[in-house]
């Protein structure tokens, strides 16, 4: 599959997803947009926000937590055991 992660040119909400891609060994396109270009992109996003994850050129999905769990699952970084998954979600949720 071909993955494209779109976010601003700073860490923010997409950084955990970028790190999961790297640790999981998956190649992805790290599209970073300038904040000045955001007003042009915003109307074309599902919820008027970033980050976005496109898979194989299909319609992008939003919400960084969903992206993080997805990447974790496909790279076996996210536990199958519900109790362990709960512990991972607890730590990832710390801001």
């Amino acid at each position: 599959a071909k993955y494209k992660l779109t976010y601003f040119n700073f860490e923010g909400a997409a950084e955990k997803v970028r790190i999961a891609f790297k640790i999981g060994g998956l190649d992805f396109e790290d599209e970073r947009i300038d904040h000045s270009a955001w007003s042009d992109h915003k109307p074309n996003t599902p919820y008027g926000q970033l980050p976005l994850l496109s898979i194989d050129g299909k319609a992008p999905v939003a919400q960084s937590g969903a992206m993080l769990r997805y990447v974790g699952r496909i790279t076996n970084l996210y536990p199958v055991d519900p109790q362990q998954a709960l512990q991972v979600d607890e730590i990832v949720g710390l801001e």
Side-chain angles (χ1 to χ4, degrees):
K2 182 178 178 185
Y3 304 99
K4 178 178 166 183
L5 181 64
T6 304
Y7 196 60
F8 301 110
N9 193 22
F10 54 83
E11 293 174 357
E15 193 64 13
K16 294 175 186 177
V17 183
R18 290 179 184 132
I19 291 169
F21 270 120
K22 293 288 186 182
I23 291 172
L26 278 181
D27 290 330
F28 72 104
E29 179 182 347
D30 187 9
E31 179 184 40
R32 298 183 185 224
I33 64 167
D34 292 329
H35 201 273
S36 61
W38 172 232
S39 60
D40 294 333
H41 290 277
K42 187 173 182 174
N44 302 317
T45 64
Y47 302 108
Q49 62 189 24
L50 293 176
L52 297 175
L53 177 63
S54 298
I55 304 167
D56 292 330
K58 295 179 183 169
V61 295
Q63 302 303 317
S64 60
M67 294 174 203
L68 184 58
R69 282 186 294 278
Y70 172 79
V71 174
R73 285 183 180 114
I74 64 174
T75 59
N76 295 316
L77 294 172
Y78 193 78
V80 175
D81 176 83
Q83 190 71 33
Q84 290 176 342
L86 177 63
Q87 291 173 325
V88 168
D89 288 343
E90 177 184 34
I91 292 168
V92 168
L94 296 173
E95 305 265 336

